[in-house]
Amino acid sequence: MATSRVTRWFERVDQREFVWCQTVNQALRCSWLYGYFRWVSRLGDGWLWYALILALPWLVPEGGMGVALLLASCGISCTLVYKLLKRWLIRERPFISFPVIDCGIPPLDRYSFPSGHTLHAVCFTVLLALTLPGLALLVLPFTLSVAASRVVLGLHYPSDVLAGAIIGSGLGLLGYAVLAEILLG
């Protein structure tokens, strides 16, 4: 019965966030920014993060392998957490609940809460801030763009993105606290 209460709560929140989602989605649909956000979202599917993890041992010869392993380990944890939450909380995506919202790209999964793209991007950015702050500054604009893209493309509500950012930062901090000494020496 807890799921039905959560579903009813999400339906009320969805109604409150609908205008914001529709406004952002419609305002940017015909601009060059829409293409930019589609591109960023595709890179946020994991491609940029996979490339970064693979490149870190060469980019940072001293300690890069440990940071890469930290990112990969936390990335797996992020995937497990967001998939479990999506299956348990079952929040439909904005473009499904409100057909006037355009779906900019096909989603990777069915449900909306939390934003897995944002969760991963924030987790990785937090980990980089704690290990390689200069690199974290370089990826921060990408992370912010990924978060924005999720609402612009009609895939998430702002609260999905906020929850993804909060959970991602928490998992990044927890992963660093638990694994940094082991993986970074």
Side-chain angles (χ1 to χ4, degrees):
M1 294 309 148
T3 302
S4 63
R5 274 185 277 175
V6 170
T7 301
R8 286 193 307 271
W9 183 80
F10 274 139
E11 288 171 357
R12 288 193 304 274
V13 173
D14 293 354
Q15 291 298 323
R16 290 186 180 112
E17 293 186 63
F18 163 68
V19 172
W20 171 253
C21 290
Q22 182 185 23
T23 302
V24 170
N25 181 259
Q26 300 299 315
L28 296 177
R29 186 173 16 188
C30 295
S31 78
W32 65 270
L33 280 171
Y34 202 70
Y36 167 76
F37 284 121
R38 288 173 54 114
W39 178 76
V40 162
S41 190
R42 282 290 177 219
L43 283 176
D45 284 350
W47 300 111
L48 179 95
W49 305 119
Y50 304 145
L52 179 62
I53 289 168
L54 291 173
L56 274 172
W58 289 276
L59 291 174
V60 185
E62 197 168 309
M65 179 60 83
V67 176
L69 291 171
L70 180 63
L71 292 173
S73 300
C74 289
I76 291 167
S77 298
C78 286
T79 300
L80 293 173
V81 167
Y82 98 83
K83 285 185 178 279
L84 287 171
L85 286 172
K86 283 188 178 199
R87 286 189 187 150
W88 181 58
L89 296 173
I90 306 175
R91 183 183 198 184
E92 293 291 348
R93 293 182 181 275
F95 76 90
I96 293 172
S97 297
F98 304 100
V100 296
I101 294 175
D102 180 53
C103 176
I105 55 173
L108 297 178
D109 54 35
R110 170 136 187 214
Y111 299 117
S112 180
F113 188 88
S115 167
H117 281 70
T118 305
L119 192 150
H120 280 91
V122 170
C123 178
F124 293 149
T125 303
V126 164
L127 290 169
L128 290 172
L130 294 169
T131 57
L132 302 168
L135 188 54
L137 286 174
L138 290 175
V139 301
L140 182 60
F142 177 76
T143 296
L144 296 172
S145 293
V146 165
S149 77
R150 309 315 287 165
V151 177
V152 168
L153 299 174
L155 298 167
H156 288 284
Y157 296 95
S159 56
D160 299 333
V161 172
L162 179 61
I166 291 168
I167 296 166
S169 61
L171 289 172
L173 291 169
L174 178 64
Y176 183 82
V178 171
L179 297 174
E181 190 173 318
I182 297 165
L183 297 176
L184 304 177

